[in-house]
């Protein structure tokens, strides 16, 4: 019995890499062998690189220029991400085209799609990873499962494109998505669907110990992490730094947060990311996976809200009794975050996980 996982597993993105690891590790715990179907087109690989090889647009020129001072550490960052894909994840060789994926689909008794924005086919933004192959748009010869897949905001536009994907989606044997609006949409189309947790939340901190690097910074420190590194996040990090008397490290490359006065540590791959969160005295984030891993490692942290709160974060933290961690920069209570009682959180998390475990077990029972 062989299971293939088709998802966003790289992109030099911590959440993408670690959700793939978490799903694969969860399947291993269930006694099932799996491998990541390593699908990456040339366009996608070019888009994710630390330095654009052939910059033609202004944002690519700006990216290259602002990253020159970090040349060495950013190339090390690339190496660490690549090593994770091939040495930590159990994955296939790289498939550069949809046809290669289709040619190898019959290698599997089951293909699991998820857990990321794999069903977001939006054309309004530069989305080099978007591809209908994630709906398994080829003849069915194996069991098909979607675990915590996501349309993201494209769920509002999806009804206008159903001819493209709905016939393939109806061939899935089991479907779960990670947002309630996705559940509601698919049920309205007659597709039985469940809400499932991001796989990173299915694991305990000890499950990440085999891959987390040793402590990287000897002194006590604060981590600032957010792909949308806006002024609210920066102000919050500086406030926490002043309150605790500790330095802050930003682990996201420029041009985000240029001239913000917070030093960067950029030679950070997925295993190093785990270490940075695990050993931090405090985490300031506005990222879902920054929030998820701060919770997993039971760190003092705040998830900074700008505008409308992220529905995934607000829903998760509400269910875990951690809603007070999702705040605006004006309403932070650093001392309260330092005294979070994680005993109750562990019990609530165990209850939340059970339905996701049950979904996977039922979906895979026929194999």
């Amino acid at each position: 019995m062989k299971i293939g996982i088709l998802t966003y597993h790289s992109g030099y993105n911590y959440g993408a890499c670690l959700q793939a690891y978490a799903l694969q590790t969860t399947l291993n715990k269930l006694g099932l062998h799996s491998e990541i179907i390593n699908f990456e087109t040339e366009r996608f690989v070019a888009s994710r690189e630390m330095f654009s090889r052939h910059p033609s647009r202004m944002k690519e020129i700006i990216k290259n220029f602002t990253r020159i001072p970090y040349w060495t550490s950013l190339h090390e960052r690339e190496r660490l991400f690549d090593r994770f894909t091939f040495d930590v994840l159990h994955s296939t060789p790289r498939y550069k085209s949809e046809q290669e994926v289709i040619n190898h689909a019959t290698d599997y008794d089951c293909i699991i799609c998820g857990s990321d924005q794999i069903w977001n086919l939006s054309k309004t933004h530069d989305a080099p990873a978007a591809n209908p192959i994630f709906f398994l748009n080829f003849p069915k010869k194996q069991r098909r499962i979607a675990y915590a897949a996501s349309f993201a905001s494209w769920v509002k536009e999806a009804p206008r494109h159903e001819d493209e994907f709905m016939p393939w989606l109806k061939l899935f044997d089991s479907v779960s998505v990670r947002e309630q609006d996705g559940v509601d949409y698919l049920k309205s189309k007659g597709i039985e669907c469940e809400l499932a947790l991001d796989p990173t939340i299915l694991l305990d901190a000890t499950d990440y110990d085999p891959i987390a690097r040793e402590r990287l910074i000897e002194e006590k420190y604060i981590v600032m992490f957010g792909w949308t590194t806006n002024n609210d996040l920066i102000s919050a990090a500086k406030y926490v730094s002043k309150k605790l008397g500790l330095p802050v490290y930003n682990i996201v490359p420029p041009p985000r947060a240029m001239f913000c006065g917070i030093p960067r540590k950029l030679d950070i791959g997925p295993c190093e990311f785990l270490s940075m969160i695990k050993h931090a005295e405090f985490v300031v984030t506005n990222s879902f996976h920054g929030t998820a891993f701060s919770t997993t490692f039971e760190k003092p942290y705040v998830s900074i809200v700008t505008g409308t709160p992220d529905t995934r974060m607000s829903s998760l933290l509400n269910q875990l009794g951690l809603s007070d961690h999702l705040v605006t920069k004006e309403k932070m209570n650093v001392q309260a975050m330092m005294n979070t009682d994680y005993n109750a959180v562990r019990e609530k998390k165990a209850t939340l996980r059970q339905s996701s475990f049950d979904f996977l077990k039922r979906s895979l029972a026929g194999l």
Side-chain angles (χ1 to χ4, degrees):
M1 180 174 60
K2 194 172 181 182
I3 299 171
I5 299 172
L6 185 62
T7 185
Y8 296 155
H9 64 283
S10 57
Y12 297 159
N13 179 289
Y14 302 123
C17 291
L18 292 167
Q19 62 85 17
Y21 171 82
L23 182 55
Q24 192 163 65
T25 301
T26 298
L27 293 173
N28 288 344
K29 286 185 163 189
L30 296 175
L32 298 167
H33 171 76
S34 67
E35 66 182 12
I36 306 295
I37 301 172
N38 187 14
F39 170 58
E40 296 180 314
T41 62
E42 285 292 348
R43 179 170 177 254
F44 176 65
V45 170
S47 73
R48 76 180 185 185
E49 291 175 334
M50 294 296 108
F51 293 88
S52 298
R53 287 175 285 176
H54 305 290
S56 57
R57 296 175 297 171
M58 182 55 67
K59 74 174 188 177
E60 293 170 335
I61 295 170
I62 292 172
K63 181 178 83 169
N64 282 0
F65 180 75
T66 58
R67 293 182 178 188
I68 289 173
Y70 305 98
W71 180 274
T72 300
S73 59
L74 287 175
H75 279 291
E76 174 64 6
R77 186 187 187 95
E78 284 191 348
R79 188 188 72 81
L80 293 170
F81 270 97
D82 290 340
R83 189 174 71 178
F84 183 88
T85 298
F86 291 104
D87 293 351
V88 176
L89 296 178
H90 182 63
S91 65
T92 68
R94 181 182 159 209
Y95 300 146
K96 301 179 183 180
S97 69
E98 295 90 338
Q99 191 58 52
E100 286 185 274
V101 174
I102 294 169
N103 291 344
H104 288 275
T106 53
D107 295 346
Y108 304 103
D109 302 293
C110 175
I111 297 178
I112 300 178
C113 294
S115 313
D116 212 323
Q117 294 184 36
I118 56 169
W119 291 346
N120 182 352
L121 300 183
S122 173
K123 303 294 193 299
T124 58
H125 301 288
D126 184 13
N131 197 300
I133 195 74
F134 292 103
F135 288 97
L136 305 184
N137 59 346
F138 48 85
K140 179 179 180 179
K141 296 184 179 179
Q142 66 286 113
R143 190 168 183 80
R144 299 180 172 192
I145 299 169
Y147 180 77
S150 175
F151 291 94
S153 60
W154 194 70
V155 71
K156 298 175 183 177
E157 187 181 343
R160 298 196 295 273
H161 301 272
E162 290 174 358
D163 289 347
E164 182 178 2
F165 68 85
M166 193 60 74
W168 301 109
L169 194 50
K170 289 181 177 179
L171 295 179
F172 276 69
D173 298 281
S174 297
V175 176
S176 66
V177 295
R178 71 183 194 187
E179 289 111 3
Q180 187 60 49
D181 56 4
V183 173
D184 296 339
Y185 168 58
L186 291 180
K187 285 188 174 181
S188 74
K189 299 299 175 180
I191 295 178
E192 188 175 340
C193 181
E194 296 184 27
L195 189 67
L197 288 176
D198 185 287
T200 58
I201 303 167
L202 300 180
L203 300 185
D204 294 317
T206 53
D207 293 311
Y208 293 105
D209 284 345
I211 64 169
R213 282 284 307 277
E214 67 280 1
R215 188 183 182 101
L216 302 175
I217 299 173
E218 289 187 10
E219 64 180 347
K220 293 181 178 182
Y221 62 89
I222 298 162
V223 168
M224 182 180 81
F225 173 62
W227 295 115
T228 305
T229 314
N230 57 29
N231 290 333
D232 287 351
L233 186 70
I234 293 165
S235 297
K238 289 181 175 180
Y239 176 80
V240 175
S241 175
K242 184 177 180 179
K243 290 286 286 186
L244 299 183
L246 298 175
V248 184
Y249 289 93
N250 180 9
I251 59 175
V252 177
R256 300 175 180 91
M258 289 290 293
F259 314 117
C260 73
I262 295 177
R264 299 179 192 265
K265 182 168 178 56
L266 300 179
D267 52 346
I268 303 294
C271 300
E272 292 72 23
F273 170 80
L274 293 172
S275 173
M276 289 293 291
I277 300 294
K278 178 179 179 179
H279 295 289
E281 298 300 311
F282 202 101
V283 179
V284 180
T285 187
N286 58 11
S287 150
F288 174 80
H289 283 107
T291 301
F293 281 104
S294 297
T295 303
T296 294
F297 286 111
E298 301 187 354
K299 308 305 298 185
Y301 73 92
V302 287
S303 295
I304 298 299
V305 175
T306 301
T308 304
D310 179 280
T311 55
R312 273 201 304 161
M313 277 200 282
S314 58
S315 175
L316 175 66
L317 294 181
N318 181 56
Q319 292 177 89
L320 293 177
L322 293 172
S323 293
D324 58 340
H325 287 60
L326 188 64
V327 295
T328 62
K329 64 183 177 63
E330 294 83 7
K331 294 186 177 180
M332 288 189 302
N333 185 332
V334 175
Q335 192 57 49
M337 300 302 98
M338 297 292 290
N339 296 322
T340 300
D341 179 9
Y342 275 102
N343 290 318
V345 174
R346 289 183 213 119
E347 294 179 8
K348 291 175 180 177
K349 188 188 292 187
T351 301
L352 283 178
R353 285 171 168 174
Q354 195 57 53
S355 62
S356 292
F357 286 135
D358 289 344
F359 170 83
L360 277 171
K361 290 174 183 177
R362 288 196 310 271
S363 300
L364 295 163
L367 293 179

